[in-house]
Amino acid sequence: MARVPAAAAAVLRRVRQSPGALARRYRARGSHPTVALVHQPHPWVRAAGLVGVVLLGAWLGLLVVGDVRTPVGPMNTTMTLRPSLTGGTKINVSPLGALELRSHVAPVRLDVNVDQLDPDRAQALVDHPERITGLQDEIASDVTRGTLDLAVRSCVAVVSGATALGLVVYRRPRRALAAGGIALALLGASGGTAYATWNPNSVLEPRFSGLLSSAPSLVGDARSIVTEFDIYQKELARLVTNVTKLYDVTSTLPAYRPDPSTIRVLHVSDIHLNPASWKIIASLVEQYDINVIVDSGDTMDHGTAAENGFLDPIADLGAPYVWVRGNHDSKTTQSYLERMKNVHVLDDGRAVSVAGLRFAGIGDPQYTPDRSTEQAGDPAEKLAGARLASALRDQKAAGTPADIAIAHNPVAARQTDGQVPLVLAGHIHHQEMEVMKYGTRLRVEGSTGGSGLRAVEGEHPDPIEASVLYLDRDTRRLQAWDEIKLGGLGLTTAEVSRHLPKENQPGATRSPSPSGSTPSNPSSSPSPGSSPNPSPSSSPDGP
């Protein structure tokens, strides 16, 4: 038997004497690794979780206690702050619709719900509209007071909501207080951003969504803005007055009384054999008290004689009808319309005076349904536009300048730049507005027929679009325009967006009118307006 070293023998004896001690020592050593295996979240994950708690708690706080009931003139309203990616103000006039104002850019939106009217004050305002002058200061004061009350209540709401939710989630008072402090800081930053981006002129360009019959009375008529002094108070008082009239105790819509200083032009285009379009146009003529309708072409789809009966409702629309041929309209279509008493067909630069305005136009040189002829494309459109521009120059030289030119294709319409203040077109099935290089404003209309049969080709029908153009009766210059968009296939609700030309904005300087001759300075910069968009090479109503 091999001899065991003395040290090893001593250890062996110690183990035999106390086996429990070794086991306890082993268990003690084995317990350390379990502490090291506990998962520790990344700091960014903890921060994201805290932010989520803050936002959710602040939102819940605003939902529960973050609204303020305050009178605005004769109306009792409820003001609320809501999280939003775009900001702005939304005025809910249930059940008539809602007005949206681009009042500020911040991650919070101001919702104003019109709850009810004070019957006596509302009736007094309806019976005596001259009192709107005295309402200006009162309404501005009401809005200011309500906004301050809302700011204080919102601070309490977001801090309480975030703190309470933080306490529930973390069960630590310090973490919960941190959540409340972060919520207050975020609300303060949002309020500061809203204040820095505050745009009082937003009341001049509201966006309405709701019943089409309510839009003219609620949005109001367009007027020339001559001064920016207290413009916010005036327009806000006008808006409150309009809402009050719609909530009149008779529960009926007031008669729309347009400003007598404006001429109202309804611009339609690309009806494409949609029979619903005629009822919509007739409704717009009645609602807006339209003076003249301009159709920039593609009323038909194939232009055959069999389709001519589709045009008969034009005789009963209640306003003169100015028409130019589109690339889906034939000469047969044009001849049929020329026999109607209230229709003015324009071609080859012909001009006509209707409703206090002088129009000149040219038909589309191409006829898409004719497959036996090769389509000439943009060169043919440019040539037609050049002919229209030449006719416009001749009319100016004769002392009878046109106020509005009309062509179906925007490519042709662009050739009139510098020869007329406003040119109308269609063809591309969506709305555009642009001030071209030499000062002519180009208005491209969407499809008033919702693209016709093409409306059902996609998942969602195309919207039905039209515009109301307001022109000054004396200067015959564009003052404002309303973009009207109805749900696909002509739903009963609508979106109406009011727009002002930049030169008609408060404080802006009026841009010079296009001269009657070709500008002598071809390097002049574009006039103020929306950014020019190149015409697409292909269009929805092509071959």
Side-chain angles (χ1 to χ4, degrees), residues 7-26:
V11 172
L12 185 59
R13 284 196 303 271
R14 195 172 296 173
V15 170
R16 288 174 179 172
Q17 293 172 358
S18 58
L22 183 60
R24 286 193 298 270
R25 183 180 301 176
Y26 177 78

Side-chain angles (χ1 to χ4, degrees), residues 324 348-349 359-363 381-393 395-396 402-425 434-444 513-519:
V324 297
D348 296 323
F359 300 89
I362 193 167
E381 301 292 344
K382 292 180 179 179
L383 181 59
R387 290 169 55 198
L388 178 57
S390 177
L392 292 171
R393 284 192 294 270
Q395 291 162 19
K396 287 182 181 180
D403 304 308
I404 299 177
I406 313 168
H408 175 66
N409 197 309
V411 175
R414 291 178 185 278
Q415 310 310 308
T416 65
D417 188 13
Q419 307 304 326
V420 68
L422 176 65
V423 60
L424 306 180
E434 169 192 343
V435 176
M436 295 185 289
K437 184 175 182 180
Y438 299 120
T440 295
R441 183 178 293 273
L442 169 63
R443 172 64 186 174
V444 182
S513 303
S515 60
S517 58
T518 303

Side-chain angles (χ1 to χ4, degrees), residues 230-246:
D230 69 0
I231 190 67
Y232 175 67
Q233 289 177 280
K234 288 183 179 179
E235 291 302 314
L236 187 60
R238 180 184 64 83
L239 181 60
V240 170
T241 303
N242 290 341
V243 174
T244 301
K245 290 179 179 179
L246 290 179

Side-chain angles (χ1 to χ4, degrees), residues 193-233:
T193 304
Y195 181 80
T197 58
W198 173 247
N199 176 25
N201 293 331
S202 60
V203 295
L204 300 175
E205 300 182 281
R207 178 182 180 184
F208 171 83
S209 57
L211 297 177
L212 179 59
S213 58
S214 305
S217 299
L218 190 56
V219 177
D221 199 13
R223 298 190 300 273
S224 177
I225 307 301
V226 296
T227 176
E228 62 178 325
F229 178 69
D230 69 0
I231 190 67
Y232 175 67
Q233 289 177 280

Side-chain angles (χ1 to χ4, degrees), residues 123-164:
Q123 191 63 51
L125 181 59
V126 172
D127 294 339
H128 303 282
E130 68 275 5
R131 295 184 181 181
I132 188 174
T133 303
L135 276 179
Q136 293 174 21
D137 294 335
E138 178 185 348
I139 291 173
S141 177
D142 291 341
V143 171
T144 301
R145 183 174 59 254
T147 304
L148 291 176
D149 292 345
L150 179 62
V152 173
R153 183 178 286 264
S154 298
C155 288
V156 174
V158 299
V159 171
S160 301
T163 302

Side-chain angles (χ1 to χ4, degrees), residues 179-503:
I182 294 174
L184 182 60
L186 289 176
L187 182 62
S190 300
T193 304
Y195 181 80
T197 58
W198 173 247
N199 176 25
N201 293 331
S202 60
V203 295
L204 300 175
E205 300 182 281
R207 178 182 180 184
F208 171 83
S209 57
L211 297 177
L212 179 59
S213 58
S214 305
S217 299
L218 190 56
V219 177
D221 199 13
R223 298 190 300 273
S224 177
I225 307 301
V226 296
T227 176
E228 62 178 325
F229 178 69
D230 69 0
I231 190 67
Y232 175 67
Q233 289 177 280
K234 288 183 179 179
E235 291 302 314
L236 187 60
R238 180 184 64 83
L239 181 60
V240 170
T241 303
N242 290 341
V243 174
T244 301
K245 290 179 179 179
L246 290 179
Y247 273 115
D248 189 7
V249 291
T250 60
S251 299
T252 59
L253 291 176
Y256 175 60
R257 296 182 178 87
D259 192 317
S261 66
T262 62
I263 301 173
R264 294 159 303 284
V265 177
L266 176 62
H267 184 197
V268 302
S269 189
D270 296 87
I271 293 174
H272 284 291
L273 283 179
N274 186 345
S277 299
W278 299 129
K279 292 184 178 180
I280 293 171
I281 292 173
S283 176
L284 291 172
V285 169
E286 180 181 0
Q287 296 295 334
Y288 284 87
D289 198 5
I290 294 298
N291 299 112
V292 57
I293 305 168
V294 173
D295 185 342
S296 50
D298 272 6
T299 313
M300 313 296 259
D301 219 21
H302 299 89
T304 62
E307 297 173 338
N308 284 345
F310 172 76
L311 302 170
D312 292 342
I314 293 178
D316 300 318
L317 291 178
Y321 202 89
V322 179
W323 183 86
V324 297
R325 188 179 65 251
N327 63 297
H328 280 262
D329 303 318
S330 66
K331 292 293 183 69
T332 301
T333 301
Q334 181 165 315
S335 298
Y336 189 83
L337 284 171
E338 286 174 338
R339 294 195 292 269
M340 290 189 178
K341 293 183 178 180
N342 68 319
V343 177
H344 304 270
V345 175
L346 303 183
D347 199 5
D348 296 323
R350 175 176 175 258
V352 62
S353 295
V354 183
L357 297 171
R358 189 160 179 82
F359 300 89
I362 193 167
D364 197 295
Q366 304 184 85
Y367 178 45
T368 301
D370 185 3
R371 303 295 179 178
S372 64
T373 304
E374 184 178 356
Q375 300 300 309
D378 285 356
E381 301 292 344
K382 292 180 179 179
L383 181 59
R387 290 169 55 198
L388 178 57
S390 177
L392 292 171
R393 284 192 294 270
D394 293 342
Q395 291 162 19
K396 287 182 181 180
T400 56
D403 304 308
I404 299 177
I406 313 168
H408 175 66
N409 197 309
V411 175
R414 291 178 185 278
Q415 310 310 308
T416 65
D417 188 13
Q419 307 304 326
V420 68
L422 176 65
V423 60
L424 306 180
H427 186 65
I428 59 177
H429 290 202
H430 67 265
Q431 296 174 330
E432 291 183 3
M433 182 71 89
E434 169 192 343
V435 176
M436 295 185 289
K437 184 175 182 180
Y438 299 120
T440 295
R441 183 178 293 273
L442 169 63
R443 172 64 186 174
V444 182
E445 191 52 74
S447 175
T448 312
S451 301
L453 294 177
R454 300 166 183 80
V456 296
E457 291 179 352
E459 182 178 355
H460 302 287
D462 290 345
I464 289 177
E465 296 177 315
S467 298
V468 177
L469 312 177
Y470 302 88
L471 291 94
D472 185 270
R473 192 172 294 274
D474 295 327
T475 65
R476 299 183 296 280
R477 296 298 300 267
L478 184 68
Q479 299 297 307
W481 72 95
D482 288 345
E483 293 183 354
I484 301 172
K485 183 179 296 186
L486 283 73
L489 301 181
L491 302 180
T492 56
T493 57
E495 288 184 0
V496 180
S497 301
R498 166 66 50 81
H499 301 274
L500 299 178
K502 287 190 179 298
E503 65 270 18

